[in-house]
């Protein structure tokens, strides 16, 4: 198992290298003139003479061959310099570090309702196959699964903020934001909810939570519907297996048969898709953060992409692929944990 | 000497209510199982032998229902008792071994876990005792290095070893009746013999009754004391093993025995029973075997025969069983 993990980790730089090459190529294929838009206000762009344009291209190295520009980028990146973020108006590294915790908080907390509600309802639906409860839960899931998250997010925003006023958008209320930026507030983990508790600021914790509920609901809605369907079908399949009959023939109660013998087996495919889902949750933050006006990796990437801030785009792409690769590694390990037949190697 | 049966099945009817109609998988089955004896149940696939076993334990899937009949274990009707009382019987008084040891054991738990689970469910012992009991059982069923094997997962064992582990699990609470549903079908021949030998030994030791369900007449001949032949959900012949093999009375039994290749006579072509098992949704009227029967008469397509006594402890469901006797005499060179 350990050699497997090490081998996978050794592959990581190679994957990141290939990926950065592709993304870099895609950005550069826009051509130097389009890339100028990142440096010059489009309104001004029209009024510049060709000589002036050429000068700007020279200044930012936009005219150089792509390979040279890529190697330059690679050299800086390897030295820890990810470039200047036009969107963040700060070094890309700082921009990412300050935004990452907000996204991590959102994505990680979303896993909890997704996994628990999804798996729990999936098992219930399977056990009550074709009965009222099953139909109800399945209709719920189909509706949930077919709802685009940006539409659902807007509805959530409308209901819980405009009408009820319970869950405001943004990361934190102004006062809470000032509290966490004050020197007395010590940052242990950089996750605000946990730090607030560690600092004994229960009010800040509640405020952070109020800002998290609506985006978590939006983000998790789609995915627990998905997980429910996977769990249900996997559970149904497992329930027809002969070892379930063996378990019943032993005299075990139906509860033990379902919760021990069936569910453990049903979890095997769920771990695979569920793991992929957690990775998707990170990607899903792009839309959710835009809708709920949160500053985080998602909204940062989206803004960077629309403004051709390629240093930021490169860095966020690498960040997301890092999540993807590490996430998949975790899935593989989990897979071996739930299914003793799987040997990593 | 009149013995009392441990398990007695009387007029058992199990129907499956499917979307296409009612499938009468078991439609009036009677037999007795005696202590220390082996009852063979033989028939083609789909004749209702496995459903009979599942009905006795009441572990049918949701579409199946016992609609009539009794299953008496020491005089208690298992079809009438509460589910929670039934649970105390499953695995304890009546245990079952399934056909495919590959799929009958849960792949994500060690065999030790699965055996200990059965022990701790029915006997008041702590985990350590249960573990020791499981090791003893594994040793008893002939698994080498049981202390090591107990912590292995089913996929780490061979097919024969898995079936041994299944047997260990089934025997963990010393059941009165052991149902063996095609216990050797999935195993290769040498392993088959070992498993049957093991079951015989354990039967002697524990004195349990075995219900051996199979389509393999060879297995029946070697292991059963009494035989029930089933066809299309009904018992068509019931006799002790010698009588059945030497003097079959039902055309179906006769056909089955006739279809076994023989070494003592020259055969150019193996006999086979014409036709196929009827679709359980559309059984023929009258005797269910009539479309395939060599001795069919007009009456067979109209009326359903009842079981009639043709000898001591020998019953047969056929109007014209004497015809089989005549056929036996006629084809004496081919069939004895």
């Amino acid at each position: 198992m350990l050699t497997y993990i090490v081998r996978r980790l050794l592959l990581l730089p190679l994957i990141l290298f290939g990926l950065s090459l592709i993304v870099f190529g895609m950005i550069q294929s826009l051509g130097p003139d389009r890339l100028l838009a990142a440096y010059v206000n489009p309104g001004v762009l029209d009024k510049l003479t060709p000589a002036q344009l050429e000068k700007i291209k020279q200044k930012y190295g936009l005219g150089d061959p792509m390979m040279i520009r890529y190697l330059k980028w690679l050299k800086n990146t390897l030295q820890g310099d990810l470039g200047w973020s036009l969107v963040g108006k700060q070094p890309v590294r700082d921009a990412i570090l300050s935004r990452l915790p907000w996204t991590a908080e959102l994505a990680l907390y979303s896993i909890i309702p997704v996994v628990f509600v999804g798996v729990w309802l999936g098992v219930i639906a399977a056990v009550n196959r074709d009965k009222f409860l099953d139909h109800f839960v399945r209709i719920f899931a189909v509706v949930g699964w077919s709802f685009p998250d940006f539409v659902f997010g807007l509805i959530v925003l409308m209901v819980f903020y405009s009408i009820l006023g319970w869950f405001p958008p943004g990361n934190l209320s102004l006062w809470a934001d000032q509290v966490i930026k004050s020197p007395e507030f010590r940052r242990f983990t950089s996750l605000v909810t946990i730090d607030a508790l560690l600092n004994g600021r229960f009010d800040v914790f509640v405020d952070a939570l109020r800002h998290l509920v609506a985006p978590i609901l939006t983000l998790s809605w789609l995915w627990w519907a998905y997980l429910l369907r996977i769990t249900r079908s996997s559970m149904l399949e497992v329930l027809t297996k002969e070892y379930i009959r063996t378990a019943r023939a032993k005299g075990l109660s139906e509860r033990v048969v379902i919760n021990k013998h069936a569910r453990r087996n049903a979890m095997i495919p769920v771990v695979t898709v569920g793991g992929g889902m957690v990775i998707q949750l990170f990607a899903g933050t792009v839309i959710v953060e835009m809708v709920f006006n949160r500053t985080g990796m998602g909204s940062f990437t989206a803004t960077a992409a629309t403004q051709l801030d390629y240093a930021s785009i490169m860095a966020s792409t690498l960040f997301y692929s890092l999540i993807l690769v590490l996430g998949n590694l975790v899935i593989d390990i989990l897979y071996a944990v739930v299914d003793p037949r799987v040997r990593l190697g | 000497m009149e013995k009392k049966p441990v398990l007695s099945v009387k007029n058992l009817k199990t129907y499956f209510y499917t979307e296409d109609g009612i499938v009468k998988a078991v439609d009036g089955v009677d037999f007795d199982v005696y202590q220390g004896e082996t009852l063979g149940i033989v028939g083609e696939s789909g004749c209702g032998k496995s459903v009979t076993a599942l009905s006795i334990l009441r572990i049918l899937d949701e579409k199946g229902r016992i609609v009539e009949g009794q299953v008496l274990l020491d005089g208690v009707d298992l079809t009438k008792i509460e589910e929670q009382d039934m649970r105390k019987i499953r695995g304890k008084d009546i245990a079952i071994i399934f056909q495919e040891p590959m799929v009958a054991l849960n792949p994500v738990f060690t065999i030790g876990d699965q055996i200990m689970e059965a022990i701790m469910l029915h006997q008041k012992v702590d985990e350590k005792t249960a573990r020791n009991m499981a090791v003893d059982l594994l040793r008893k069923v002939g698994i080498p290095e049981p202390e090591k094997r107990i912590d292995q997962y089913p996929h780490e064992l061979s097919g024969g070893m898995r079936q041994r582990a299944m047997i260990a699990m089934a025997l963990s609470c010393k059941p009165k009746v052991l149902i063996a549903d095609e216990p050797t079908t999935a195993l290769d021949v040498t392993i088959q013999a070992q498993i049957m030998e093991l079951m015989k030994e354990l039967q002697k030791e524990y004195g349990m009754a075995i219900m051996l369900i199979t389509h393999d007449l060879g297995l029946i001949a070697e292991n059963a004391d009494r035989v029930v032949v089933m066809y299309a959900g009904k018992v068509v012949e019931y006799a002790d093993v010698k009588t059945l093999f030497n003097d079959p009375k039902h055309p179906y039994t006769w056909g089955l025995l006739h279809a076994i290749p023989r070494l003592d006579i020259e055969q150019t072509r193996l006999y086979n029973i014409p036709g196929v098992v009827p679709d359980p949704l559309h059984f023929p009227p009258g005797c269910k075997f009539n479309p395939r029967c060599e001795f069919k008469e007009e009456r067979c397509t109209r009326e359903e025969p009842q079981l009639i006594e043709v000898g001591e402890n020998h019953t047969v469901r056929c109007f014209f069983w004497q015809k089989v006797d005549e056929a036996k005499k006629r084809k004496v060179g081919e069939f004895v």
Side-chain angles (χ1 to χ4, degrees):
Chain A
M1 179 106 111
L2 199 68
T3 47
Y4 177 80
I5 296 172
V6 169
R7 206 163 62 212
R8 284 282 294 265
L9 287 177
L10 285 177
L11 272 174
L12 187 61
L14 213 64
I15 294 168
L16 293 181
F17 171 74
L19 200 103
S20 65
L21 202 60
I22 294 168
V23 177
F24 197 87
M26 275 160 61
I27 297 171
Q28 299 306 322
S29 68
L30 289 172
D33 292 328
R34 293 289 301 280
L35 289 173
L36 270 179
Y39 301 94
V40 187
N41 188 324
V44 186
L45 207 57
D46 297 338
K47 296 178 189 114
L48 295 175
T49 62
Q52 281 174 307
L53 282 175
E54 204 48 50
K55 219 172 138 190
I56 297 169
K57 277 187 204 166
Q58 287 277 305
K59 183 181 168 194
Y60 293 106
L62 293 178
D64 295 345
M66 199 186 110
M67 237 27 239
I68 304 285
R69 294 160 45 72
Y70 177 73
L71 288 175
K72 248 189 222 163
W73 175 84
L74 192 63
K75 188 181 140 227
N76 289 337
T77 303
L78 288 178
Q79 286 167 350
D81 176 14
L82 289 166
W84 181 260
S85 167
L86 298 166
V87 171
K89 296 183 182 61
Q90 59 189 351
V92 173
R93 218 171 64 123
D94 297 350
I96 287 182
L97 284 179
S98 69
R99 284 166 173 82
L100 180 58
W102 296 106
T103 302
E105 213 166 25
L106 177 56
L108 293 177
Y109 290 167
S110 295
I111 297 171
I112 300 166
V114 168
V115 171
F116 282 90
V117 178
V119 170
W120 180 64
L121 284 180
V123 170
I124 288 181
V127 172
N128 294 288
R129 181 182 195 178
D130 290 338
K131 296 194 184 125
F132 172 76
L133 207 58
D134 180 31
H135 290 308
F136 180 76
V137 163
R138 277 165 74 198
I139 290 170
F140 213 47
V142 170
V143 173
W145 182 236
S146 2
F147 240 106
D149 45 4
F150 51 89
V151 176
F152 186 71
L154 289 173
I155 294 173
V156 169
L157 198 61
M158 186 183 83
V159 173
F160 291 105
Y161 180 56
S162 310
I163 300 175
L164 297 170
W166 292 351
F167 307 127
N171 292 22
L172 275 180
S173 298
L174 208 54
W175 63 267
D177 197 45
Q178 276 162 354
V179 170
I180 67 161
K181 281 178 181 146
S182 64
E184 299 93 71
F185 192 87
R186 291 184 56 199
R187 306 307 299 259
F188 298 96
T189 61
S190 69
L191 296 180
V192 173
T193 42
I194 293 169
D195 284 349
L197 286 179
L198 291 177
N199 280 285
R201 289 301 300 255
F202 200 68
D203 51 345
V204 176
F205 173 74
V206 171
D207 188 68
L209 222 51
R210 277 183 65 198
H211 286 82
L212 274 169
V213 171
I216 284 177
L217 183 65
T218 311
L219 200 56
S220 57
W221 179 265
L222 186 86
W223 291 107
W224 60 251
Y226 180 60
L227 205 63
L228 178 152
R229 286 158 50 119
I230 302 280
T231 310
R232 179 182 178 273
S233 61
S234 162
M235 192 73 185
L236 280 180
E237 197 206 315
V238 168
L239 283 175
T240 64
K241 290 278 179 6
E242 223 169 302
Y243 52 77
I244 296 302
R245 212 160 61 183
T246 308
R248 289 197 179 115
K250 269 187 205 173
L252 294 171
S253 67
E254 201 56 20
R255 208 168 50 91
V256 178
V257 172
I258 302 275
N259 291 335
K260 187 179 167 192
H261 286 263
R263 199 169 60 188
R264 178 80 190 274
N265 281 284
M267 279 307 103
I268 294 168
V270 173
V271 165
T272 325
V273 287
M277 180 199 75
V278 171
I279 296 166
Q280 292 286 324
L281 275 179
F282 268 91
T285 56
V286 173
I287 284 167
V288 171
E289 284 181 352
M290 294 301 276
V291 171
F292 289 96
N293 197 25
R294 289 175 67 89
T295 47
M297 274 307 289
S299 53
F300 175 68
T301 311
T303 322
T306 50
Q307 297 191 9
L308 283 177
D309 174 2
Y310 82 80
S312 304
I313 297 174
M314 293 299 295
S316 343
T317 315
L318 292 184
F319 164 74
Y320 280 111
S321 44
L322 202 66
I323 298 263
L324 188 78
V325 174
L326 294 180
N328 276 318
L329 183 61
V330 172
I331 295 167
D332 283 350
I333 294 168
L334 268 182
Y335 199 49
V337 171
V338 282
D339 188 351
R341 284 163 296 183
V342 172
R343 285 280 158 271
L344 300 178
Chain B
M1 187 183 76
E2 190 63 22
K3 277 196 285 185
K4 260 190 76 182
V6 205
L7 182 77
S8 182
V9 174
K10 291 192 196 310
N11 192 30
L12 181 72
K13 292 187 181 178
T14 303
Y15 295 174
F16 286 83
Y17 295 84
T18 68
E19 278 151 29
D20 303 319
I22 299 173
V23 175
K24 298 180 176 178
V26 174
D27 199 17
V29 163
D30 300 79
F31 57 79
D32 294 325
V33 189
Y34 295 91
Q35 195 195 341
E37 272 193 12
T38 300
L39 175 80
I41 298 187
V42 68
E44 284 169 270
S45 338
C47 72
K49 6 182 241 290
S50 293
V51 175
T52 305
L54 298 181
S55 303
I56 290 171
L57 280 167
R58 282 177 42 187
I59 47 174
L60 296 155
D61 72 44
E62 54 192 73
K63 289 195 177 80
R65 222 166 295 153
I66 299 172
V67 290
E68 219 184 301
Q70 292 179 310
V71 176
L72 301 170
L73 178 79
D74 291 331
V76 179
D77 187 356
L78 300 185
T79 63
K80 301 285 186 300
I81 63 175
E82 291 291 320
E83 170 63 23
Q84 62 200 47
D85 297 322
M86 190 64 218
R87 281 211 298 269
K88 290 181 191 132
I89 292 189
R90 287 185 203 128
K92 185 167 183 290
D93 294 322
I94 307 177
I96 187 163
I97 307 167
F98 292 110
Q99 177 174 351
E100 292 266 0
M102 314 288 160
V103 293
L105 287 165
N106 196 325
V108 300
F109 295 107
T110 61
I111 55 165
D113 281 340
Q114 297 185 55
I115 296 172
M116 283 158 65
E117 188 181 37
I119 295 173
M120 287 163 76
L121 186 69
H122 295 295
Q123 299 170 42
K124 285 198 175 71
V125 294
D126 60 26
E127 209 177 312
K128 207 161 165 257
T129 321
R131 194 182 158 88
N132 291 334
M133 288 168 79
V135 170
D136 287 342
L137 279 163
L138 289 176
R139 188 175 295 120
K140 188 164 269 171
V141 297
I143 291 183
E145 298 177 90
E147 293 86 356
K148 199 183 117 202
R149 297 283 175 175
I150 191 167
D151 291 320
Q152 289 189 328
Y153 289 96
H155 72 272
E156 296 172 280
L157 303 175
S158 67
M161 286 297 153
R162 272 182 244 186
Q163 196 61 299
R164 283 171 197 266
M166 269 301 283
I167 293 174
M169 196 161 88
L171 293 180
S172 61
C173 300
K174 301 193 169 66
K176 294 174 187 158
V177 181
L178 176 68
I179 303 176
D181 187 356
E182 308 243 6
T184 58
T185 307
L187 306 172
D188 64 55
V189 186
T190 47
I191 309 292
Q192 274 188 18
Q194 289 173 16
I195 294 286
M196 289 315 300
E197 201 48 50
L198 172 69
M199 281 175 50
K200 266 191 192 166
E201 275 168 32
L202 294 167
Q203 182 177 33
K204 243 179 245 160
E205 190 178 336
Y206 290 122
M208 66 198 166
I210 294 181
M211 239 177 91
L212 177 64
I213 299 175
T214 182
H215 59 256
D216 184 345
L217 287 167
L219 216 58
I220 293 282
E222 282 166 34
N223 299 286
D225 298 301
R226 249 177 265 258
V227 188
V228 169
V229 181
M230 283 184 72
Y231 186 80
K234 285 188 191 295
V235 173
V236 293
E237 189 160 2
Y238 176 56
D240 67 69
V241 69
K242 281 207 182 84
T243 315
L244 190 94
F245 277 84
N246 294 328
D247 188 20
K249 298 287 189 199
H250 195 278
Y252 178 61
T253 320
W254 178 78
L256 282 182
L257 292 170
H258 206 163
I260 301 173
R262 298 176 52 148
L263 294 173
D264 53 343
I265 51 173
E266 203 162 303
Q267 284 169 307
T268 46
R269 200 193 150 97
L270 208 55
Y271 175 80
N272 67 306
I273 302 175
V276 289
V277 184
D279 174 3
L281 281 168
H282 307 101
F283 278 138
C287 172
K288 285 168 184 159
F289 188 60
N290 84 65
R292 306 174 69 184
C293 186
E294 284 194 23
F295 313 101
K296 168 170 106 174
E297 292 203 7
E298 194 267 335
R299 186 184 178 193
C300 304
T301 58
R302 267 188 297 117
E303 242 180 281
E304 172 126 44
Q306 297 301 310
L307 276 174
I308 42 174
E309 195 130 3
V310 294
E312 197 191 337
N313 285 324
H314 190 176
T315 50
V316 64
R317 191 186 292 276
C318 182
F319 297 122
F320 304 107
W321 56 273
Q322 288 97 336
K323 280 191 173 187
V324 179
D325 279 345
E326 287 163 29
K328 273 182 288 194
K329 280 177 207 137
R330 207 170 53 237
K331 296 184 180 176
V332 72
E334 278 175 64
F335 187 83
V336 180

